[in-house]
Amino acid sequence: MESLGHNLLSEECRVAIHHVASYKLHISDAYLSMACYYKQHMGAPLFAAFFEDQAEVKREHAKKFPRYLRKRESKIFLPVMKRPDIDNWGTEVQALESARELENKLTNLLLNLKTMASTKEETDLLHFMGKCLGKQKRSTGYMEHQLVYHKRLEKQAQEEDPFKKPAQGSGKAT
């Protein structure tokens, strides 16, 4: 069995892991909000199901970070992040653009954590981060694919009915 001192994470890495886990849960909440919006207000059950699925994936990925912290004998203190304050996600393209922004920020957080782990010579964390970054790259690619697809659909709909106004942009809750 490894010595207790060798198993502990640096404080900086531990704090960054907490932040990443919280942000993943924040994204999951945003995706769940999008799913509810498209199910209730837009009558788009397939698009709602897509975001419900993505919410569950993010939640499951977020759980891996506290598990990792427990394995490394670290206490878990996930910071609370403000829930999304948008109640109108706009068109499907606008929602996917918001999702892309969330995913890009998450990618940056993960890359920063990997850099920190490298600097602190946390080899176990580097291995863990490699897996996480691989999944994140696939997730971001999938989101980009969905965005391109829905932009094409939106453009095609505009060409078929040039007098139809596109849905309004997303807005903050009032």
Side-chain angles (χ1 to χ4, degrees):
M1 185 173 165
E2 293 183 65
S3 71
L4 183 62
H6 180 69
N7 202 33
L8 295 178
L9 278 169
S10 70
E11 179 69 12
E12 296 89 350
C13 288
R14 189 183 61 76
V15 169
I17 289 171
H18 285 119
H19 189 71
V20 167
S22 289
Y23 194 72
K24 279 183 171 264
L25 291 171
H26 171 74
I27 293 174
S28 177
D29 283 349
Y31 289 169
L32 195 55
S33 173
M34 289 175 187
C36 291
Y37 175 75
Y38 288 101
K39 189 180 290 181
Q40 295 171 356
H41 302 291
M42 301 297 284
L46 291 176
F47 202 61
F50 166 76
F51 277 117
E52 277 182 26
D53 226 20
Q54 292 300 303
E56 187 59 32
V57 166
K58 287 298 174 198
R59 188 172 298 108
E60 287 304 312
H61 287 176
K63 289 178 185 178
K64 292 179 182 190
F65 287 85
R67 287 183 196 132
Y68 179 82
L69 288 168
R70 280 194 300 271
K71 178 181 133 187
R72 295 294 301 269
E73 301 176 11
S74 293
K75 291 186 179 182
I76 299 169
F77 298 103
L78 298 179
V80 175
M81 296 207 163
K82 187 175 183 245
R83 295 185 64 95
D85 63 352
I86 296 176
D87 64 358
N88 175 356
W89 290 98
T91 67
E92 292 173 356
V93 168
Q94 290 166 330
L96 286 165
E97 286 172 340
S98 293
R100 179 177 56 186
E101 287 176 31
L102 292 168
E103 294 292 341
N104 287 340
K105 182 174 179 184
L106 176 58
T107 297
N108 288 333
L109 289 172
L110 290 168
L111 289 170
N112 291 342
L113 178 54
K114 182 180 177 191
T115 300
M116 187 183 304
S118 179
T119 301
K120 299 289 183 181
E121 298 179 0
E122 297 278 1
T123 54
D124 188 55
L125 181 54
L126 281 170
H127 179 71
F128 177 74
M129 291 309 301
K131 291 178 184 177
C132 293
L133 282 165
K135 288 179 183 176
Q136 181 60 19
K137 183 177 180 182
R138 286 189 298 279
S139 180
T140 303
Y142 183 67
M143 199 62 69
E144 282 294 330
H145 173 76
Q146 289 294 319
L147 183 57
V148 167
Y149 174 74
H150 284 279
K151 280 183 176 181
R152 274 194 222 131
L153 286 179
E154 199 172 81
K155 183 178 179 183
Q156 183 180 4
Q158 279 294 163
E159 289 171 353
E160 289 174 5
D161 188 0
F163 299 108
K164 184 179 178 184
K165 290 176 96 175
Q168 294 299 311
S170 60
K172 304 269 182 191
T174 56

